[in-house]
């Protein structure tokens, strides 16, 4: 899951070396925290949040297939 989000984010931003994905294991779910350069934040979120919504949809489909619950958080 972590690699999926990292690859998508690196393809979207101007500074792919600044992309960081941290995985936080919880009792009920795993949270992926995505951090990008401040200038690239808008590219990851997209217009009206469409890009990040699409990323969350892909993550949800992949996590269901793996039998886990995973959520995506965008860090500022």
């Amino acid at each position: 899951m972590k690699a999926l989000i990292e690859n998508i984010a690196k393809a979207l931003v101007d500074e792919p070396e600044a992309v960081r994905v941290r995985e936080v294991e919880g009792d009920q779910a795993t949270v992926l925290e995505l951090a990008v350069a401040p200038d690239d934040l808008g590219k990851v979120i997209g217009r009206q949040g469409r890009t990040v919504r699409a990323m969350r949809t892909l993550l949800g489909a992949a996590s269901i297939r793996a039998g886990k619950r995973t959520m995506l958080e965008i860090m500022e």
Side-chain angles (χ1 to χ4, degrees), residues 21-68:
V21 179
R22 194 176 84 142
E23 197 168 9
V24 180
E25 294 284 335
D27 295 336
Q28 306 259 328
T30 302
V31 177
L32 296 178
E33 296 177 344
L34 174 62
V36 296
D39 294 340
D40 291 329
L41 195 58
K43 291 178 181 168
V44 172
I45 294 173
R47 290 184 185 227
Q48 298 178 352
R50 287 185 183 139
T51 304
V52 73
R53 192 175 323 128
M55 289 171 66
R56 286 180 174 140
T57 301
L58 287 171
L59 182 64
S63 64
I64 288 173
R65 190 170 182 96
K68 299 179 181 178

Side-chain angles (χ1 to χ4, degrees), residues 6-31:
E6 192 169 350
N7 287 335
I8 293 171
K10 283 183 178 182
L12 291 171
V13 299
D14 289 333
E15 297 179 43
E17 64 278 352
V19 172
R20 301 283 179 260
V21 179
R22 194 176 84 142
E23 197 168 9
V24 180
E25 294 284 335
D27 295 336
Q28 306 259 328
T30 302
V31 177

